[in-house]
Amino acid sequence: MYTGSITVADTPLLRYVLSRADDALVLGHRLSEWCGHAPVLEEDMALSNMALDLIGQARALYTYAAEVEGAGRDEDAYAYLRDVTSYANLLLVEQPNGDFAQTIVRQLLFSAFIDPYWRALMTSSDPTLAAIAAKAEKESAYHLRHASEWTVRLGDGTPESHERAQQALDTLWPFTGELFTVPAGDRGLIDAGVAVDPETLRAPWRATVARVVERATLTLPADGWMQRGGREGRHSEHLGHLLSDLQYLQRAFPGATW
Amino acid sequence: MYAQSLNQQVEGTTAPEDAEAAARFQARVDAEERIEPNDWMPAAYRRTLVRQISQHAHSEIVGMLPEGNWITRAPSLRRKAALIAKVQDECGHGMYLYAAAETLGVTREQLVDELLAGKAKYSSIFNYPTLTWADIGAIGWLVDGAAIMNQIPLCRCSFGPYSRAMIRVCKEESFHQRQGYEIMLTLARGTAAQKVMAQDALNRWWWPCLMMFGPPDAQSQHSDASTRWKIKRFSNDALRQKFVDATVPQAHFLGLTLPDPALRFNEATSHWEFGEIDWTEFKQVLAGNGPCNRDRMAARRAAHTSGDWVREAAQAYAAKERARSAAAAGAA
Amino acid sequence: MSTPTTPLWEVFIRSRTGLAHKHVGSLHAADATLAVQAARDLYTRRGEGNSVWVVPSSAITASDPNDKGMMFDPADSKVYRHPTFYEVPDEVGHM
């Protein structure tokens, strides 16, 4: 018996829910890679806590996706049995951890976006999404606080930490344009009050990031060419490797229960 | 949390300390009073505790690595979350223990430097590799099971901060062994391949787990001091037997076979008798020749070294902030 | 090479029951903000509290254990400070 990747129904709500779940899972997975290897034990605890928050969010969203699809699948089917081109997460969250500065700046850029996003989604006309957003918002608010404090310390710390933080900001900046893109299928959901229009968050996001970057004595990069494609399944090479780790057992032993 | 016997070499009686103070100290210990950091204590008691607590802390931190090896490959989101939480607990427990050691007048940095310089020991069990997912089940069930045997008596250790840390640890760890056993049970009831995986993990982890309790009492380097000071309350062999008696029926329930042909139940004593432990292997692993000793230390050194600039940055920022608020206060 | 030390902080947590903050342990952090975050991440991950205090360990002044006798024993004999010292007939009821 060989069971390959699943094919998921292509409806706007399902695509939308899965894309948000994928963001949370992929970023949670990245943070969990630090476990046992963080620069100080205190940060080992912090990064693991945030990984657990994000994996929890992913599970709630995948579970809702299963309900939306109604094909008798569970959270793990979506996480473990979709191939790289079916994943619809942002390119930003799949970028490698790099050094601690890159991980922290990635957290800052994403959390500064997703925290107001969840807050806006709390008034979604879809009650399940509104409930998931209410829980996730508290978590992302803390992630933003944590990332902001560390960005300031790295930026305004030593010459080396400043250099590393600026490098991280410059490296990740081209992935921030995608935060505000609206996939074709999302437009109807936004109009129906189910989803949030990310464009409305662009100014607050930029203000939050600019405030932290200034405190950190860093320089906001210029808005050059922005990478995109994650929402359409056009990923960087990094995601495939992440999924080979993540999905290994489910793929090696098809159909087994763990 | 892994408080295996780490071959504590208790210091012999030291310089002529105040005999009267020593007698008062022993009377307090005998009366089951807790000794607190600022209380008078024999120098050897302090040294023994620093060594034991720091080795216990190191074991927690190094112990994150074998299980952490499977975090990215956990086979379901539920298992992944549980495993992260468990490995994270080990980090937290290492921190509680370092903090307990620090009350004795050493710093965490000194202790970590000793570990990274190869001068400090940690539990031998973490020098074995985790090859399959079943190893995560086996570690939770057996390694944590063995650790619990050792840690529960430590909750009554005479040194207050150690005892309090152990109480917190034991409370938090109550899910660890169940987590492992549930994984083993799922595999044992799963496909043929999963059952093979579970049996293989048991075969590889069983004997190293029995070694975790330390050398047989007859050869143990423990002096009576640890017992007299109520740091250690049960002998290595007594704890090992307790572990075997508790674990054998659990293995049978799983339908797995313990890799010991000599294993038999003695009706007269109501104990499971087991075969000869390969103490040569134990000594080799402790001496640095286990399958993963070098990898474990390399991973911890890499984490520490690549964190140097982060710690420096945080300190530098704190210093700048202090200077800024001093300047602001001066200007006001 | 020896690692420079990061300051030690004592952590106090108020549990959900709304009692006083209670000492739970210590941790290392370069400054107070990071100490509060680290305390939250280490000591409240099972819902142990709703408020955190951190205090630099160096800021704590403790009584000397050698003074225990003179500091605390004199209170032992002041039995009249406790309600059980006084006799009130049962008929009076709870007082």
Side-chain angles (χ1 to χ4, degrees), chain B residues 71-84:
Chain B
I71 284 177
T72 59
R73 292 178 291 171
S76 72
L77 296 181
R78 178 176 178 268
R79 294 280 182 224
K80 189 188 285 289
L83 185 58
I84 294 171

Side-chain angles (χ1 to χ4, degrees), chain B residues 254-281:
Chain B
L254 293 172
L256 299 178
T257 311
L258 289 158
D260 179 0
L263 191 75
R264 59 175 281 273
F265 189 70
N266 183 327
E267 298 281 354
T269 62
S270 291
H271 288 304
W272 285 92
E273 292 172 352
F274 50 94
E276 206 44 44
I277 294 171
D278 180 0
W279 293 111
T280 310
E281 176 180 323

Side-chain angles (χ1 to χ4, degrees), chain A residues 29 32 35-36 39-40 42 45 49 52 55 76 80 153 156-157 160-161 164 245-246 250 253 257-258, chain B residues 71-77 79-81 87-88 92 95 108 186 194 197 300 307 309 311 313 317 320 324:
Chain A
H29 185 99
S32 78
C35 194
V40 289
E42 278 75 8
M45 299 299 294
N49 270 347
L52 287 170
I55 289 167
D76 290 331
Y80 288 86
R153 279 154 185 78
D156 192 17
E160 180 183 1
S161 69
R164 285 175 182 265
D245 265 0
L246 182 101
Q250 291 275 0
F253 299 89
T257 304
W258 302 91
Chain B
I71 284 177
T72 59
R73 292 178 291 171
S76 72
L77 296 181
R79 294 280 182 224
K80 189 188 285 289
V87 178
Q88 186 201 34
M95 291 168 72
R108 189 209 286 182
T186 309
Q194 285 176 306
M197 198 187 273
R300 286 314 305 163
W309 68 270
R311 295 187 296 273
Y317 176 80
K320 285 184 195 178
R324 283 190 280 253

Side-chain angles (χ1 to χ4, degrees), chain C residues 10-67:
Chain C
E10 299 303 319
V11 180
F12 299 79
I13 303 281
R14 183 168 64 203
S15 68
R16 290 192 188 289
T17 48
L19 302 172
H21 286 74
K22 194 176 162 221
H23 184 243
V24 292
S26 50
L27 50 78
H28 288 261
D31 60 54
T33 304
L34 293 183
V36 169
Q37 288 187 359
R40 177 259 193 197
D41 283 322
L42 179 59
Y43 288 105
T44 70
R45 60 195 195 284
R46 285 178 169 82
E48 291 94 333
N50 58 16
S51 172
V52 172
W53 287 350
V54 294
V55 179
S57 304
S58 57
I60 291 181
T61 307
S63 62
D64 186 337
N66 293 324
D67 295 344

Side-chain angles (χ1 to χ4, degrees), chain B residues 38-39 88-89 92-93 95-96 99 102 107-109 113 168 172 175 304 308 311 314-315 317-318, chain C residues 1-8 24 26-28 30-31 34 41-43 45-46 48 62 65 68:
Chain B
N38 292 334
D39 294 346
Q88 186 201 34
D89 268 354
H93 298 165
M95 291 168 72
Y96 302 156
E102 287 186 280
T107 65
R108 189 209 286 182
E109 286 85 354
D113 285 345
R168 194 176 178 99
E172 293 187 353
F175 91 83
H304 191 76
D308 283 343
R311 295 187 296 273
Q315 301 251 30
Y317 176 80
Chain C
M1 194 192 85
S2 71
T3 307
T5 56
T6 304
L8 191 65
V24 292
S26 50
L27 50 78
H28 288 261
D31 60 54
L34 293 183
D41 283 322
L42 179 59
Y43 288 105
R45 60 195 195 284
R46 285 178 169 82
E48 291 94 333
K68 212 167 82 181

